[in-house]
Amino acid sequence: MRILVTGGAGFIGSNFVHHLVRHTDASVTVLDKLTYAASRESLAGLPEDRVELVVGDIVDAGLVEPLVAQHDAVVHYAAESHNDNSLNDPSPFIQTNLIGTFTLLEAVRKAGVRFHHVSTDEVYGDLPLVDDTADDPKRFTEETPYQPSSPYSASKAGSDHLVRAWVRSFGVQATISNCSNNYGPWQHIEKFIPRQITEVLDGRRPKLYGSGENVRDWIHTEDHSSAVLRILEQGRIGETYLIGADGEKSNLEVVRMILRLMGRAEDDFEHVTDRAGHDLRYAIDSGKLRTELGWSPEYGDFEAGLAQTVAWYRDNEAWWRPNKDATEASYAAKGQ
Ligand code: NAD
Ligand code: TDX
């Protein structure tokens, strides 16, 4: 198999490339624009005879069409991925997430190549918070109606709709997955967990948007990769699979856990300006993926996975340090 991985130099895409090399004998081409979010180092150490990096834009049909035609499958991770950035400037989100996905769909349609589209649970909007007495709290399923809140999630929702239309109208051989919040090594420090870990490493206080009661459903990026590979190999064409590991935690709980793991007082954080339109709660019911394809996550213990992630950022300061000042300056300008 020759597999083209778009966005394979980003946080989750690079994990998937390592996963493919470890668990299959596929040869892999990474197509990545190397935006601010990419990292060549995340691909270091991979065998040169199996992994090639092509630097380019998924919006560029002249590049994409011949490249796609040389592969058996495309796994599409490339995206602008940060909600806060989409509130500052939605334009690159529309370009990459919508026009880029359209460009890839046209290429796989012409070449008859299998396509897997990596998407997010944010396309479903948000859920109410759960009080402790509820015995069967609502979670997202494959049937939940789309109701995205931010320019980022709206652009991902639009890209999902394009994939479904290309399956139905043109017979494109595609599957879709919608995953919950990922954590682990190599995540850009603009994102919640690495931002707080690196704030503590720098002797400052973690920064919670608003009250901190917002809930995210955390999954280790290794588990996301194993699920995507399972869907690529065994998923039914035209189907959507939700990926999640039953990792619901409020932001406040996560911040307290990070502080505890790093030897600081659990209330040593600050509240900052809330995100506009901030989604309240995400929660995934991954029953279809587990029952139909027999997948299950390996990182069942969030605190253990978080402790490993803290250790990774402690040990890899040389990787994140060059981005830290600019990332914090941009948050400070918004009171965050
Ligand atoms: P990321 O921002 O870390 O990486 C995105 C990668 O895409 C970068 O390497 C970037 O250079 C590349 N890219 C951006 N625009 C491009 C373009 N026009 N052409 C080619 N490459 C381009 O993102 P991530 O967190 O690794 O997310 C990867 C995918 O997974 C995205 O589609 C995202 O929507 C989805 N997802 C992310 C999460 C999460 O928690 N981070 C959860 C569910 C789904
Ligand atoms: O400093 C912060 N303080 C804070 O309280 C930051 C950066 C975030 N937050 C909150 C906002 C969210 O409730 O933490 C939560 C997680 O924030 P992000 O890491 O920005 O993730 P989120 O907006 O939930 O989206 C993520 O999961 C779904 C990814 O960035 C998306 O790409 C993915 O689709």
Side-chain angles (χ1 to χ4, degrees):
M1 281 281 274
R2 292 157 304 167
I3 302 181
L4 181 67
V5 180
T6 73
F11 163 48
I12 308 177
S14 62
N15 186 282
F16 184 68
V17 174
H18 284 271
H19 193 83
L20 276 178
V21 167
R22 274 199 308 274
H23 296 282
T24 71
D25 55 13
S27 59
V28 183
T29 308
V30 169
L31 171 58
D32 200 295
K33 191 179 172 182
L34 299 184
T35 69
Y36 80 96
S39 157
R40 277 179 187 272
E41 296 101 304
S42 66
L43 296 171
L46 288 163
E48 280 175 24
D49 58 341
R50 286 189 59 195
V51 181
E52 185 194 354
L53 171 63
V54 174
V55 179
D57 194 327
I58 57 166
V59 168
D60 179 356
L63 167 72
V64 164
E65 291 197 356
L67 191 62
V68 163
Q70 292 161 23
H71 292 82
D72 302 302
V74 175
V75 183
H76 175 34
Y77 286 91
E80 285 294 332
S81 69
H82 192 36
N83 274 300
D84 291 320
N85 294 345
S86 82
L87 297 166
N88 294 341
D89 178 11
S91 162
F93 290 76
I94 303 306
Q95 280 301 318
T96 290
N97 301 0
L98 283 169
I99 310 292
T101 302
F102 160 72
T103 307
L104 288 162
L105 283 168
E106 283 293 86
V108 294
R109 169 160 90 98
K110 288 174 188 162
V113 168
R114 167 90 169 87
F115 189 71
H116 179 73
H117 179 62
V118 177
S119 192
T120 170
D121 60 357
E122 298 194 16
V123 298
Y124 301 115
D126 60 357
L127 296 163
L129 293 177
V130 177
D131 73 58
D132 293 338
T133 56
D135 34 85
D136 191 14
K138 240 179 118 184
R139 298 192 289 172
F140 298 135
T141 71
E142 288 78 4
E143 275 71 51
T144 304
Y146 275 45
Q147 202 166 19
S149 314
S150 74
Y152 163 68
S153 50
S155 68
K156 292 297 291 188
S159 68
D160 294 9
H161 290 317
L162 291 177
V163 177
R164 286 209 187 84
W166 262 241
V167 170
R168 178 152 173 177
S169 302
F170 304 122
V172 161
Q173 302 284 295
T175 42
I176 300 175
S177 55
N178 298 80
C179 187
S180 59
N181 283 62
N182 284 221
Y183 73 98
W186 301 109
Q187 187 168 31
H188 195 283
I189 53 165
E190 68 188 355
K191 301 282 176 24
F192 177 56
I193 287 180
R195 181 182 187 206
Q196 312 314 337
I197 294 171
T198 54
E199 284 296 85
V200 175
L201 287 173
D202 275 352
R204 290 191 295 266
R205 304 205 293 178
K207 297 180 174 57
L208 271 179
Y209 290 174
S211 64
E213 66 184 340
N214 308 65
V215 169
R216 296 295 180 266
D217 190 352
W218 294 99
I219 180 172
H220 196 283
T221 184
E222 289 283 350
D223 284 331
H224 188 180
S225 291
S226 69
V228 168
L229 182 58
R230 184 66 58 92
I231 297 165
L232 183 68
E233 290 177 337
Q234 296 174 28
R236 282 185 293 137
I237 297 303
E239 292 293 314
T240 290
Y241 297 89
L242 262 54
I243 305 173
D246 300 331
E248 276 188 75
K249 296 267 176 298
S250 73
N251 294 339
L252 183 59
E253 285 176 280
V254 174
V255 155
R256 286 191 193 282
M257 210 181 270
I258 290 171
L259 284 163
R260 194 168 63 242
L261 288 168
M262 298 182 76
R264 291 257 294 265
E266 282 191 26
D267 58 358
D268 197 9
F269 58 82
E270 55 191 282
H271 294 279
V272 295
T273 308
D274 206 352
R275 174 184 285 171
H278 195 176
D279 281 342
L280 215 42
R281 171 174 165 254
Y282 304 142
I284 289 268
D285 177 347
S286 57
K288 176 177 172 182
L289 175 64
R290 294 175 192 235
T291 315
E292 202 179 283
L293 303 186
W295 174 85
S296 58
E298 285 189 1
Y299 281 76
D301 181 346
F302 175 72
E303 186 157 354
L306 189 61
Q308 268 182 27
T309 306
V310 168
W312 190 88
Y313 281 89
R314 207 190 282 282
D315 294 344
N316 288 277
E317 182 177 341
W319 177 74
W320 56 263
R321 175 59 66 198
N323 290 320
K324 185 65 178 164
D325 287 352
T327 303
E328 288 310 318
S330 139
Y331 279 126
K334 298 179 293 175
Q336 293 179 321

